[in-house]
């Protein structure tokens, strides 16, 4: 095989250093989740397509990676479908499993499937990769990690407040300056109502969701093209022009929404939530942003997006309340709310801003030079002894030239090297070398261990 | 949707308790790997099929999960293949990616792809799920975790000795009694040579590999059916009857192998390795087992399998030396050796023997009862304060009946509950309840924190 091997487009390998950095992010996030009383679950990478299809819109269905059925998969396919090359139709005949697209739908499936074992309200977190056949680009991968935290079975707005607290704490720990953008789908529903376009609610949210990316004019265009009247679109304009503090915006909105019951409910929810958040005196600013819509249809209340203030990379965390996500799997009236941290984008932000601590990588404390023969057996035993007192130790894995062994220790960032030749073993002393300073000491084994542990 | 949702056959969800148990296994294994100087990497779940196909034998190719190409995947398929329902041939036309089948082949691909960034000898570990379309049964899943540890770029038998040390240390930590079965593919090659069946080496290893499962007679049958002469098979018999200590077996083998160069090389390697292991005085017994063959073709030297002494579940760890695994990807003459811990089988063994510590699950230290209104805002702030001093704390997520809140705390295993109503907030004292004993104390916030942290 002449061609250099590679990984599939949009996927990546992680080297030891990259792993250390990524684990730093995971550990920071996870320890916050645990401190708030959330518990971990995991679900399989593959889900039945019946679980996944139709949950992410038409576009999402296309972006799902489908897994070919095992064995003689063509035998069950319909001749006409094959001959006509009707790929869309053939999918369901050739595949009944797909890779998970997010962690929310599998979580909803999990809750319904295990409803009798779960104590509600159920506070869970889940840190796993997801897969999307998106066009790869900056900040967008085909395999990426989500860190989800959800409460299900509770309607209290305390949950929303707690999620904002979690965002504040995670990003404080990671040293990333962020802003929380907040909105409420009930407000958007109210707006659709008062502009006389109630039936276009989904289209309105989809279009508004693109506001930041494509701008006001294009959003307007899209709304007209999906069937809204010019009058409705014109009425919408002031919404995008709201300014002032959160409470000033809420005041203006109340007037705009007139007697839309659902809209005013949304305003009341945002008002209560912002009061709670204010009382918590967080570092992170929280802004009501009416151009925030979240593309996914299952959101019904508060919605959030968190952005880095210093790097343009889209949202790095997002989520919201869903009143009936488990309904699609047969469990009605269980409201939940959750957010998802995008670990890969957080990684990119931290890399760009040079926020990873220098001390982050796992290193070997001590390497024992391998002289071969009896000395190596001594080295194996010495290494075992060093490990037993907590020192990460390796014996160089074969007899080799001293220079080669020292170069290895140096490149790997090993802190100490021990040389123990025949004379040294017989006299009970070793040569201990500090790789950073170059200093060499002649010491007993116990003195060496003490020295290594003390630094 | 009336039908209760489920996960694909052979895959599983992990509840918080199962996660805690599984993480206990991962943490134990990983901390040993790190202490021996191994460094973590990860590779994508999907690999190109060109990377995976042909590496696991014909059976393995069938058991690979293939991912359907995105978009109009039928357009590139050959009409004849489709109409004739030639699934085997259609695979390569409909799919160019598959889910990884193990961590060894992706590791070999990684080493070749990143050869210029790697410091050799490269000691890496990798803990990730793999997928196989095997028939699910006890101890066998379609999605399961492997914990692999390999050294690549070193021929020293010290590496083999170190892997046995690692096995000893991991299973000592997990409290599982195991035995290490050891063999060497060079010995098997020598045996094939002296029984006059050198060309049937692969068939012999495949058949021997089934020895424990199907017994001597069936192995004999299989060897005859694949073309070995009756004479060859008869000559093989004494090999299965070797007994005595490891060194006694090696003595007998030396005679049996006569002048087979490769066979005697294998004997010398095993001899040297066992001497090293003996010098380390491990807890775990190591047995030379000539009926151990390992099905995979890439092994060329030492091979290992580790079995639980107390539970019949097949091997829970296995591996060996491969002299040219990276050769298939274009990097010649880089020898490596590694083993893989099967986390899911280890889990099953520990569950069956009741070996998980009782204290294993993540629990919330403190729950604050939610009385609604201003008291809840006080609760949110109190919770933040408790967390800031390291206490895992949750405010019950909504105003609800006291009984419901206490039942939740009880079922979730929360250790302490705080009640802070209006009077309590005003007087600056709280009611703190110990959930295990039922004891109730009236204390200040700081007294409560001290009490919780002291226990």
């Amino acid at each position: 095989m002449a061609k250099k091997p590679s990984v599939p487009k949009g996927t990546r390998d992680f080297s030891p250093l990259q792993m250390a950095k990524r684990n730093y992010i995971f550990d920071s996030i996870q320890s916050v989740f645990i401190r708030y009383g959330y518990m971990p679950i995991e679900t399989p990478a593959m889900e039945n397509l019946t679980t996944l299809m139709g949950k992410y819109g038409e576009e999402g269905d296309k972006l799902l990676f489908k897994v070919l059925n095992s064995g003689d998969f063509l035998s069950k396919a319909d001749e006409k479908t094959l001959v006509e090359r009707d790929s869309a139709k053939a999918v369901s005949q050739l595949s009944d499993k797909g890779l998970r697209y997010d962690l929310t739908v599998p979580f909803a499936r999990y809750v319904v499937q295990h409803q009798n074992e779960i104590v509600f309200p159920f506070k869970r977190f889940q840190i796993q990769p997801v897969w999307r056949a998106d066009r790869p680009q900056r900040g967008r991968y085909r395999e990426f990690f989500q860190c989800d935290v959800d409460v299900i079975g509770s309607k209290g707005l305390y949950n929303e407040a707690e999620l904002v607290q979690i965002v504040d704490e995670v990003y404080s720990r990671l040293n990333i300056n962020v802003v929380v953008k907040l909105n409420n789908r009930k407000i958007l529903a109210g707006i659709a109502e008062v502009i006389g376009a109630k039936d276009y609610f989904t289209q309105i949210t989809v279009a508004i969701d693109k506001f930041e990316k494509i701008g006001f004019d294009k959003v307007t265009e899209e709304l007209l093209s999906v069937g809204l009247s010019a009058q409705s679109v014109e009425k919408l304009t002031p919404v995008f022009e709201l300014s002032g503090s959160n409470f000033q915006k809420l005041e203006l909105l109340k007037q705009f929404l007139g007697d839309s019951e659902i809209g005013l409910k949304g305003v009341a929810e945002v008002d209560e939530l912002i009061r709670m958040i204010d009382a918590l005196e967080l570092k992170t600013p929280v802004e009501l942003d009416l151009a925030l819509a979240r593309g996914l249809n299952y959101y019904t209340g508060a919605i959030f997006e968190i952005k880095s203030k210093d790097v343009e990379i889209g949202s790095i965390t997002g989520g919201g309340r869903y009143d009936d996500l488990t309904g699609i799997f047969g469990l009605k009236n269980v409201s939940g709310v959750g957010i998802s941290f995008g670990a890969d984008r957080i990684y990119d932000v931290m890399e760009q801003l040079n926020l990873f601590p220098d001390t982050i990588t796992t290193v070997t404390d001590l390497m024992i030079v391998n002289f071969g023969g009896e000395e190596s057996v001594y080295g194996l035993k010495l290494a075992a002894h060093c490990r037993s007192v907590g020192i990460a130790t390796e014996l160089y894995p074969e007899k080799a030239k001293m220079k080669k062994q020292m170069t290895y220790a140096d490149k790997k960032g090993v802190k100490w090297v021990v040389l123990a030749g025949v004379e040294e073993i017989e006299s009970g002393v070793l040569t201990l070398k500090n790789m950073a300073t170059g200093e060499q000491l002649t010491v007993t084994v116990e003195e060496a261990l003490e020295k290594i542990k003390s630094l």
Side-chain angles (χ1 to χ4, degrees), chain A residues 198-443:
Chain A
K198 203 173 161 182
D199 296 343
Y200 293 93
F201 178 56
T202 302
Q203 290 89 331
I204 292 172
T205 58
V206 168
I208 289 184
D209 199 44
K210 299 178 191 160
F211 180 74
E212 195 163 345
K213 221 187 266 173
I214 64 178
F216 177 71
D217 290 347
K218 295 257 177 190
V219 169
T220 308
E221 241 174 66
E222 178 167 332
L223 287 171
L224 291 170
S225 77
V226 296
L228 265 77
S229 69
Q231 211 183 355
S232 292
V233 173
E234 199 181 324
K235 276 195 192 156
L236 192 60
T237 313
V239 172
F240 291 105
E241 289 168 350
L242 282 183
S243 63
S245 74
N246 292 328
F247 292 112
Q248 286 168 333
K249 285 183 194 166
L250 287 172
E251 249 342 288
L252 294 167
L253 258 181
K254 250 191 244 175
Q255 294 161 27
F256 180 82
L257 289 167
D259 55 0
S260 159
E261 197 184 328
I262 188 162
L264 293 176
K265 178 112 203 304
V267 168
E269 284 182 12
V270 171
D271 185 88
E272 189 184 340
L273 176 56
I274 289 180
R275 279 175 206 281
M276 271 194 261
I277 294 170
D278 282 353
L280 291 170
E281 296 172 12
L282 306 177
K283 274 202 253 171
T284 307
V286 176
E287 278 175 21
L288 173 59
D289 180 357
L290 291 159
L292 170 65
R294 304 285 294 164
L296 294 167
N297 268 328
Y298 48 69
Y299 292 119
T300 51
I303 46 182
F304 307 97
E305 262 180 27
I306 286 82
K307 304 216 159 157
S308 156
K309 284 185 178 175
D310 305 311
V311 179
E312 295 240 346
I313 196 171
S315 85
I316 53 178
T317 298
R321 176 166 293 275
Y322 40 86
D323 273 339
D324 198 26
L325 191 61
T326 57
I328 44 178
F329 299 117
L331 182 65
K332 299 281 180 202
N333 299 319
V334 183
S335 186
V337 59
I339 52 173
S340 179
F341 290 82
D344 301 81
R345 286 193 178 175
I346 293 172
Y347 185 106
D348 292 347
V349 168
M350 292 189 65
E351 196 70 302
Q352 187 167 333
L353 299 176
N354 210 7
L355 292 178
F356 288 109
D358 291 337
T359 52
I360 214 170
T361 183
T362 45
V363 284
T364 301
D365 300 314
L366 172 65
M367 188 192 89
I368 298 167
V369 172
N370 191 328
F371 290 103
E374 279 311 303
E375 285 143 303
S376 318
V377 175
Y378 175 79
L380 275 175
K381 288 160 87 169
L382 177 58
H385 180 58
C386 297
R387 287 180 204 118
S388 74
V389 299
I391 297 168
T393 310
E394 50 185 297
L395 172 69
Y396 188 81
E398 55 195 2
K399 191 182 167 183
K401 284 192 180 142
M402 181 67 85
K403 185 160 177 245
K404 191 175 173 195
Q405 299 194 37
M406 295 308 278
T407 305
Y408 169 87
D410 187 44
K411 282 201 181 160
K412 196 169 171 176
V414 171
K415 292 183 212 147
W416 300 91
V417 166
V418 150
L419 298 98
V422 171
E423 315 103 66
E424 277 130 330
I425 294 171
E426 278 171 4
S427 65
V429 292
L430 314 160
T431 302
L432 178 67
K433 180 171 178 178
N434 181 324
M435 292 298 285
T437 65
E439 186 193 12
Q440 295 209 148
L441 302 166
T442 306
V443 289

Side-chain angles (χ1 to χ4, degrees), chain A residues 129-234:
Chain A
V130 302
W131 295 270
R132 297 181 187 177
D134 247 324
R135 189 185 306 273
Q137 61 184 63
R138 178 174 150 75
R140 191 189 284 166
Y141 306 99
R142 290 188 154 189
E143 172 178 72
F144 57 99
F145 267 84
Q146 293 192 328
C147 311
D148 274 31
V149 61
D150 288 79
V151 194
I152 197 157
S154 168
K155 290 181 179 168
L157 279 170
Y158 309 107
N159 297 298
E160 276 86 340
E162 184 171 284
L163 293 176
V164 176
Q165 267 182 299
I166 287 175
V167 165
D168 180 64
E169 195 160 330
V170 164
Y171 287 111
S172 297
R173 284 193 188 199
L174 295 176
N175 230 345
I176 301 175
N177 291 314
V178 295
V179 56
V180 174
K181 305 270 188 178
L182 170 72
N183 197 2
N184 191 299
R185 297 272 286 199
K186 294 190 180 81
I187 292 179
L188 294 174
I191 291 170
E193 208 173 288
V194 300
I195 66 170
K198 203 173 161 182
D199 296 343
Y200 293 93
F201 178 56
T202 302
Q203 290 89 331
I204 292 172
T205 58
V206 168
I208 289 184
D209 199 44
K210 299 178 191 160
F211 180 74
E212 195 163 345
K213 221 187 266 173
I214 64 178
F216 177 71
D217 290 347
K218 295 257 177 190
V219 169
T220 308
E221 241 174 66
E222 178 167 332
L223 287 171
L224 291 170
S225 77
V226 296
L228 265 77
S229 69
Q231 211 183 355
S232 292
V233 173
E234 199 181 324

